[in-house]
Amino acid sequence: MTFTAWVPPGSVARGAELVAGRTDRAPACSGCHGDDLRGVGPFPPIAGRSAIYTFRQLYDFKAGTRNGDWSPLMKEVVAKLTLDDMIAITSYTSSKMP
């Protein structure tokens, strides 16, 4: 199954920078989710997931409404992210092959 997510121009490129940790907003996602973003151990894959699903997870971590074992770690990771940053990250991660 394929899907299309319409995102603002430049979002995928900006998301690549954020996911790689090349900004002061958050550490590189690969540190936990693997170089290919397909997950490592208890850390889930984020490559190829629905953009809205991933956005909702980031938003909920930031809002403090996610309460899993790893939630405190992710709350720190998303603390500096803006809504535009989250859109960019999900634009990039959803464009990758799962």
Side-chain angles (χ1 to χ4, degrees):
M1 174 190 276
T2 62
F3 59 90
T4 301
W6 299 102
V7 299
S11 293
V12 175
R14 173 76 175 140
E17 290 178 0
L18 288 159
V19 167
R22 292 192 298 257
T23 73
D24 64 345
R25 300 279 200 202
C29 299
S30 62
C32 295
H33 296 281
D35 291 337
D36 59 4
L37 305 178
R38 293 183 180 156
V40 174
F43 300 100
I46 56 175
R49 296 243 177 165
S50 161
I52 194 63
Y53 171 82
T54 304
F55 179 88
R56 186 63 200 208
Q57 303 314 304
L58 294 174
Y59 183 88
D60 287 349
F61 280 125
K62 186 169 176 110
T65 55
R66 282 284 310 249
N67 296 313
D69 291 339
W70 299 101
S71 295
L73 175 64
M74 280 301 297
K75 187 160 179 70
E76 289 180 34
V77 170
V78 301
K80 294 181 183 177
L81 295 179
T82 66
L83 293 177
D84 287 339
D85 292 337
M86 290 185 233
I87 290 169
I89 289 167
T90 59
S91 299
Y92 176 75
T93 60
S94 68
S95 74
K96 307 309 288 175
M97 289 299 292

